[in-house]
Amino acid sequence: MSEVKILTGNQAAAAAVKLCKVQVISAYPITPSTSLTETLAEWIERGELKAEYVRVESEHSVMTVCVAAATVGARVFTSTSSHGLLYMHEQLHWAAGSRLPIVTCVVNRGVGAPWSIFNDQQDSIAQRDTGWIQLYCRDNQEIIDTVIQAYRIAEQAYCPVMVCYDGFVLSHTMMPVEIPDAEKVNAFLPPYKPHTFLSPEEPRNINPVIFPSQRRDDLGILRDGYMEFRWKLQNALEGAREIIVAANREYAESFGRDHGGMLWSYKTDDAEVCIVGMGSLASEATAAADLLREGGIRAGVVGIRAYRPFPRQEVREVLKKAPAIVIFEKNVSYGYEGALSADLKAALYGTGIDAPVHNYIAGLGGRDVKAAELAEAVRASLADIASGTRERQTWLNCVTE
Amino acid sequence: MPEKLFNVNQKEYILPGNRSCQGCGLSLAYRYILKALRENTIMTIPASCLTVLHGLYPTTSVNVPCLNCTFASTAASASGLVAGLAAMNRTDTTVVAMAGDGGTFDIGLQALSGAAERGTDFIYVCYDNEGYMNTGTQRSSATPIGALTTTTPVLTKQQNKKDMMKIMEAHDIPYLAMMSPSYPVDLYDKFVKAKRIKGTRYMQISAPCPPGWVFPPKDTVKLGRLAVETSVVVLYEIEDGKFRLTGRSKTLAEKGTRAPLVQYIEKQGRFKKMSMEQLGKMQKWVDGKWNEYLKRAEG
Ligand SMILES: Cc1ncc(C[n+]2csc(CCOP(=O)(O)OP(=O)(O)O)c2C)c(N)n1
Ligand code: SF4
């Protein structure tokens, strides 16, 4: 039977890991992800969760343990934040390149220097090109449901998945969460079947040196070169769209909760301005949209749930009638603009959607972002757009002079 | 000794025609390591000459399962294999991590120390060719003083070698051994023994490298022997804290005959710029170690 509990985001994620019958967990402490893996360690020591917990000496080793354990057939999990994720960077490429269905919770936190333990999404955005699927959650219910879906997605797409959620804003904030029924989770998530099982019975060399072009094996069969491997990974991420959408749909059918597949939208049908964001900021934007509507501006919100693969088609569909677009995001691609803004504009290019797009960098390093401030920024942008400013990059609430 | 050679596992796990250089000390050692470990072994190896020996996708010259890993992650990769196998109830498989001196003394030290502290049940093998050979002979912390490398190309390496065995011994692990491919039976026996022991086992092999050390490929075995004769390399094992000289090193200790270091040095092009002062310093270093071992062997 499902039950409702008041949980933090990290507790919700831990509950999901338990329901997913994860077999190997490795983790290294970093705020604000620590309490998630501490909870798992406690459950394992108490015998409430049957899994190996490998307490390694660094995040580089954490992801290595995940890669190796998945290679011999175990379902694995880890969680990290900020510098921990950056320290994994080399291994993130190896996890994706090995096509292993590793699920990692990324509890988003700003990146130094200088130090900050507070939230933004620079850490996971900086890992954008490692070949991982990235899903962003807006609340604690979505966290528990998304971790369960993430294993389904990872094991069908043979791609690792990051489940990203905002540090403190969600990780340490309590909300009511419905914990799904274990039997139903078992039915939704069959046991992990590895594509390649490293074992002495059938010796093989995994991830050896490879040439640029195809080569024949001992049986004369032409095998992939480096580029073919890369292309297959790209194809797998593109193909993961359908898997993500199907996982969400089937999850909604079994558990009655629909978080949107690739993205979700709020009051966009008649919107004269669409606000776009990811994670908890997008949920804050729904409050801003309500404020704007009270003031007579028909605002809607698009919450990007899957950032990689990018919801190219879906944003075109949902934004096709939007007269104006305002993006808020907690990251920046230095020397350009917000990463989401750049990606979104690229998705709209050449489609005939010609709405002005304004980009706000907000809430870096945990700076508070209030719904009223978002609403105010949207109003300012609309005034600007009315006077002809099509593009704008602004750092919200940042004293730049 | 010849008697024992007949008992060595006759099966070959490395195919002839692999990609190591002619006269590669690492490949000699690896052949005997795999013979001693036999079936039901999983390897994990980082970037190194050993990766090259394993071959290019889609073929391999090695008939044991292997997970290639990144340079810094060898012991963590082994930890993951051990955990994964435990989760799959396959605890009878021997997990072996094998890396060069660069991947062990330098970039891989953190992961190795972590795995050893956790008492991870695996064998860690370091083949020590005293440099980053795969990237073209750069200095590592295992390079001896006075050696030319491409990153110490004019003045030679200024420092003595890091004592990795001591570092590993400080981890309080059940078994450590020093070996040379020039003494294959000693090496084989130690691996047979290591396979039976539980916990972290650290095995270090001095692997002469013709291009890196600059000597003719036909002299590999000879050079490995000279290293032992001069006690630059000492064959020993430490089992549950008990130190024991083995093989030729034990004989040398009993007879009290050691060749002067210069006999080993003069055979290698890498030492051609070694100064007398450096030679003296290295001889002192070698003597110091030897005397330490003698004392420990007496108990
Ligand atoms: C993080 C990282 N830095 C550098 C390299 C380049 N690299 C590959 S092998 C190697 C040297 C390996 O030296 P060692 O471990 O002594 O093994 P050997 O080549 O001597 O067999 C280096 C520096 C790498 N692969 N990864
Ligand atoms: S460079 Fe040295 S260690 Fe590497 S394969 Fe050649 S001989 Fe062996």
Side-chain angles (χ1 to χ4, degrees), chain A residues 23-24 50 52 54-62 64-75 87 90-91 94 98 197-211 215-218 221 223-225 229, chain B residues 19 39-43 45 51-52 54-74 76-90 93 110-115 117-118:
Chain A
Q23 295 160 299
V24 173
K50 195 180 169 306
E52 301 289 319
V54 192
R55 298 155 186 86
V56 288
E57 72 302 322
S58 80
E59 288 88 352
H60 193 276
S61 289
V62 165
T64 309
V65 165
C66 291
V67 166
T71 309
V72 288
R75 184 176 282 165
Y87 200 30
E90 183 187 29
Q91 299 306 119
W94 275 64
S98 315
F197 192 96
L198 188 67
S199 101
E201 281 86 69
E202 214 188 320
R204 61 178 86 228
N205 205 351
I206 295 183
N207 293 332
V209 183
I210 189 166
F211 266 15
R215 290 175 81 240
R216 291 193 189 280
D217 67 10
D218 53 340
I221 301 167
R223 299 289 184 187
D224 291 340
F229 271 91
Chain B
R19 286 175 185 270
E39 281 74 22
N40 209 3
T41 299
I42 294 186
M43 301 291 306
I45 61 173
T51 328
V52 177
H54 263 249
L56 287 163
Y57 183 84
T59 57
T60 177
S61 55
V62 182
N63 201 16
V64 288
C66 173
L67 178 61
N68 292 77
C69 61
T70 59
F71 201 17
S73 70
T74 321
S77 184
S79 303
L81 291 172
V82 169
L85 290 168
M88 312 311 287
N89 293 319
R90 300 190 57 151
T93 304
Q110 174 175 300
L112 172 56
S113 176
E117 182 273 334
R118 292 189 299 275

Side-chain angles (χ1 to χ4, degrees), chain B residues 19-26 49 127 129 133-134 208-212:
Chain B
R19 286 175 185 270
S20 58
C21 309
Q22 259 188 19
C24 171
L26 151 66
C49 286
Y127 64 92
N129 54 23
M133 298 316 183
N134 183 49
C209 166

